[in-house]
Amino acid sequence: MPEVILQARDLVKHYPIRRGILRTVQGHVKAVDGVNFDLHKGETLGVVGESGCGKSTLGRLLVRLEAPTSGTVEFEGADMANASGKELRALRRNIQIVFQDPYTSLNPRMTVGDIIGEPFEIHPEVVPKGGRRKRVQELLDLVGLNPEHINRYPHQFSGGQRQRIGIARGIALDPKVLICDEPVSALDVSVQAQVVNLMEKLQNELGLAYVFIAHDLSVVRHISDRVSVMYLGKMAELGHEEEVYERPTHPYTQALLSAVPVPDPTLRGKRQHIVLQGDVPSPANPPSGCRFHTRCWKAREKCKTDVPELILRPDGVGEHFSACHFAEPQVIVPTTDVSDVEPDERFAEVDHRDPATIAEAEGTLQDADGLRPETTTEAQANLFAPIQDDEGHPGRVPDERRDV
Amino acid sequence: MSESAVLVEGAEAQAAGGDVGDARSLGADAWRSLRKSPFFWVSAVLILIFLLMAIWPSLFTSTDPTKAVLKEARSRPSDAAWFGRDIQGYDIYARVIYGARASILVGVLTTVFTVLLGGAIGTLAAYAGGWVDSLVSRITDIFFAIPLLLGAILFMAALSGTMTGYFGVIFKVVMALTLLGWPSLARLMRSSVLQVLPNDYVQAARALGASPWRIIRSHIIPNAMGPMIVVSTINLGAYIAAEATLSFLGIGLTPPVISWGVSINDAIVGLRTTPHMLLFPSLFLSITVLAFIMLGDAIRDAFDPKSR
């Protein structure tokens, strides 16, 4: 296994709740409450969980947009969470963030060149002054945008293109870690696939490590090497993608996975659907012991008193990290990883390109959206590759692109 | 018709510069819609004329505004004196032309100072947050409790006797109006900065390690100052009117400074017998104030994307 590049230890973020005339602290919202993980060089760690579980706060802690209440974030041994001034500034070069909403993440008054060039002005030592414009154009090319659009403003781009600009800004300083805070959640499904493919391409070319925060389980499975599941500010389960998806041992993960739509119509109705009772408890007053015990069908007395540690627990085949006293694997849905499977021959003659691409190839349509044609075709081809499973079920509609 | 013309124009621009030079900022968009507004052109031409008057009054008249012809005092408009003569026998036309300088100086300087002071304090309050924000908000509340005229009267009365030269007197009025005018702009700026701050591009700049000064300068101010520009353009007219009011009350600009407010004050004795003495300075004052307010309105419409 490659070396550990980013290490979070007992990361805690509590937001004070102030009430009354004197604004006294009445309690804390425990957004992130003791998170531990290692991120290895060049890997992708997916973070999933429902709204309000602390995923985004975790991301913001990792790039030090928020100062943690306690705990450390070590980047190659240097503590980022407690650094300040020059030291922090230097560390920031190594770890960058891509935001969810491409419509608010770009300054509307700056040209694309200024937006992507800003990192070089903040860290002038990275690229000498004369070479910056050229470097910005290289970055635009790298993320699949027309380098000649350097003088355009963000409002002249579509959502997917704007997200590419956000990614270009994120990788401008050549960071080693990129935190992706729901980078595709605001995009429509076909564009999601393009952006995810771009991120995989960049990872291969630049050796980036990703922390990929999302709530879409299939997107996370597609891109991640390891996956962690968060519930109420704590990690419930952490393991390799197939360990978490195929042999989940934590009841919350099992419930979460059972909610994913199944693309295979022959399997519909045959699987177990776990419906949880009640709502997520308030993070200001989380349950004692195991945080999930209020909704868990396995809960016993022990769960109410003892906090389960996130330790290696057997999952039937091997073992992976799980925070449940009664961890046992349960197959939720039979899954097949089709990432490396060749498309079925019966469908080889179908033209997978979309009408715009075909028209483009025939020269009837101008390259109006600024995407390089090969990128579109590439993305399109990749988009369809993983969605046909080896039994010949052609999930041709991107909506059905679920790996679970 | 005009739309198709624009389309053709756009197509030509595309053909000429490819799709590379097609960059249009929000400012450029605003200018495009501003160009089509008749109110903008009328007010711009008027303001240009008044500015010329303020800078080179001798372009408009060769008469000395300080030359009193007492035997012709209060005479009606004639060939020799187009707007007639006032109670001291001064040529009213020359006085009105020379009076533009004081009024516009007060208006422009007050606007500049309120924008700088109010904008800076408002931005700081919103960016710093916490107790700084609370303190600034309460201070602006206190200033809001003081009526503009009453406050200015008190200020001018307290400083009477000091700074008596031309610019001294003007500066005193500017100070009085600035002191009472900055809180509204500070509040306006504070609220628009608060709107800009949570945007992800500000967070992205922080994650890149940008200094607070860089974030404020290149991300916050450009995105937050639209409302302030509009309001301060409208305020410019209001400050000119406030200066005239103070001068009319005898506590603003005082002779020998020539200003519309002073002229109106002088003319009030002949309100029923020789109203032309009152009419011309008032007319110029009203047109100037109107021009600035019209310009402010036009700019607001241009910057408001919903109006397009």
Side-chain angles (χ1 to χ4, degrees), chain A residues 333-355:
Chain A
V333 262
T335 55
T336 334
D337 189 358
V338 290
S339 308
D340 305 320
V341 178
E342 287 297 308
D344 194 293
E345 281 185 12
R346 282 176 294 167
F347 302 96
E349 285 168 26
V350 180
D351 196 342
H352 289 318
R353 297 175 303 168
D354 69 1

Side-chain angles (χ1 to χ4, degrees), chain A residues 82-342:
Chain A
N82 300 304
S84 59
K86 249 187 176 161
E87 194 190 352
L88 177 64
R89 222 169 116 101
L91 281 171
R92 284 192 189 283
R93 268 184 60 182
N94 299 311
I95 172 160
Q96 280 298 313
I97 185 164
V98 174
F99 289 96
Q100 172 177 6
D101 186 354
Y103 290 90
T104 65
S105 64
L106 306 177
N107 186 342
R109 309 251 160 187
M110 284 165 84
T111 62
V112 172
D114 289 339
I115 290 170
I116 303 176
E118 194 180 22
F120 303 135
E121 287 187 21
I122 297 168
H123 299 274
E125 69 279 6
V126 179
V127 179
K129 205 157 191 175
R132 283 183 197 161
R133 197 180 157 83
K134 192 161 167 289
R135 180 76 188 122
V136 169
Q137 290 188 324
E138 285 168 11
L139 282 164
L140 280 173
D141 192 45
L142 191 64
V143 298
L145 291 171
N146 188 341
E148 291 182 351
H149 291 170
I150 187 166
N151 286 329
R152 286 198 176 183
Y153 284 85
H155 69 269
Q156 294 168 301
F157 292 91
S158 69
Q161 291 173 319
R162 294 172 68 128
Q163 197 58 292
R164 286 166 191 266
I165 297 167
I167 292 172
R169 174 180 58 194
I171 62 172
L173 293 174
D174 212 1
K176 309 232 170 52
V177 180
L178 197 62
I179 310 293
C180 309
D181 187 3
E182 311 216 13
V184 296
S185 306
L187 308 173
D188 72 58
V189 182
S190 58
V191 180
Q192 276 189 13
Q194 294 175 5
V195 172
V196 165
N197 287 332
L198 168 69
M199 297 184 73
E200 291 189 321
K201 179 189 122 188
L202 292 175
Q203 185 165 45
N204 292 338
E205 289 176 12
L206 308 172
L208 287 164
Y210 291 138
V211 174
F212 195 94
I213 299 165
H215 54 244
D216 187 329
L217 292 167
S218 18
V219 169
V220 168
R221 179 167 200 192
H222 178 72
I223 196 168
S224 301
D225 302 311
R226 290 191 304 146
V227 176
S228 78
V229 180
M230 277 186 81
Y231 183 76
L232 268 181
K234 275 186 180 298
M235 276 191 182
E237 193 155 0
L238 170 68
H240 280 279
E241 162 243 320
E242 79 278 359
E243 289 170 342
V244 172
Y245 278 78
E246 286 169 23
R247 302 187 291 279
T249 60
H250 196 287
Y252 178 64
T253 315
Q254 291 160 1
L256 207 59
L257 287 175
S258 83
V260 175
V262 184
D264 188 342
T266 60
L267 288 173
R268 272 180 203 155
K270 289 180 184 171
R271 63 181 183 140
Q272 191 187 3
H273 196 159
I274 305 165
V275 180
L276 293 176
Q277 300 299 312
D279 288 324
V280 187
S282 160
N285 185 21
S288 61
C290 173
R291 299 204 158 178
F292 189 56
H293 83 252
T294 53
R295 306 169 76 193
C296 182
W297 62 96
K298 284 182 177 173
R300 284 177 232 168
E301 274 310 306
K302 190 186 180 191
C303 303
K304 290 180 188 166
T305 51
D306 296 3
V307 179
E309 295 296 314
L310 185 71
I311 49 171
L312 288 172
R313 295 176 200 262
D315 61 6
V317 178
E319 50 181 16
H320 67 268
F321 291 99
S322 176
C324 178
H325 293 304
F326 307 103
E328 53 180 349
Q330 184 177 6
V331 175
I332 299 301
V333 262
T335 55
T336 334
D337 189 358
V338 290
S339 308
D340 305 320
V341 178
E342 287 297 308

Side-chain angles (χ1 to χ4, degrees), chain A residues 65 104 107 118 123 151 156, chain B residues 22-23 201 206 208 219 223:
Chain A
L65 277 175
T104 65
N107 186 342
E118 194 180 22
H123 299 274
N151 286 329
Q156 294 168 301
Chain B
D22 191 30
Y201 54 81
R206 280 185 57 209
L208 285 167
H219 295 286
N223 286 292

Side-chain angles (χ1 to χ4, degrees), chain A residues 358-376:
Chain A
I358 298 169
E360 201 170 68
E362 289 165 8
T364 52
L365 194 73
Q366 288 264 317
D367 180 21
D369 61 354
L371 281 176
R372 290 175 310 160
E374 64 268 36
T375 313
T376 320

